[in-house]
Amino acid sequence: MTDRLLSVPEVAERLGTTERFPRRLVAERRVTFVKVGRHVRIPESELAAFIDANTVRPVRRRRPRYGRAA
């Protein structure tokens, strides 16, 4: 296993949030995690997948063609 396991404070730092947010993700089972004894660890690849799955892409709108008859 080459995937690094991140602690809750490390995940919070990468997401730019408080520790409460990653803990809530774990409690709501919205992110894959590993229990090591009583410690919770989140695989780095799973965090990347979570970020990618929740990234909203911009919508490119077509410019209206003013002055042209349809």
Side-chain angles (χ1 to χ4, degrees), residues 65-70:
R65 295 182 181 184
Y66 294 110
R68 288 186 167 230

Side-chain angles (χ1 to χ4, degrees), residues 28-49:
E28 294 174 357
R29 304 293 198 261
R30 291 173 52 196
V31 66
T32 302
F33 63 94
V34 177
K35 293 270 302 200
V36 181
R38 64 184 185 121
H39 302 285
V40 174
R41 299 290 184 255
I42 298 173
E44 202 168 24
S45 62
E46 291 298 328
L47 179 62

Side-chain angles (χ1 to χ4, degrees), residues 6-57:
L6 303 173
S7 66
V8 171
E10 290 173 325
V11 172
E13 183 179 333
R14 289 193 183 198
L15 293 176
T17 64
T18 63
E19 289 183 28
R20 184 177 180 186
F21 181 66
R23 289 187 192 283
R24 195 175 83 206
L25 293 176
V26 168
E28 294 174 357
R29 304 293 198 261
R30 291 173 52 196
V31 66
T32 302
F33 63 94
V34 177
K35 293 270 302 200
V36 181
R38 64 184 185 121
H39 302 285
V40 174
R41 299 290 184 255
I42 298 173
E44 202 168 24
S45 62
E46 291 298 328
L47 179 62
F50 174 80
I51 292 170
D52 190 48
N54 289 288
T55 299
V56 179
R57 308 285 180 213

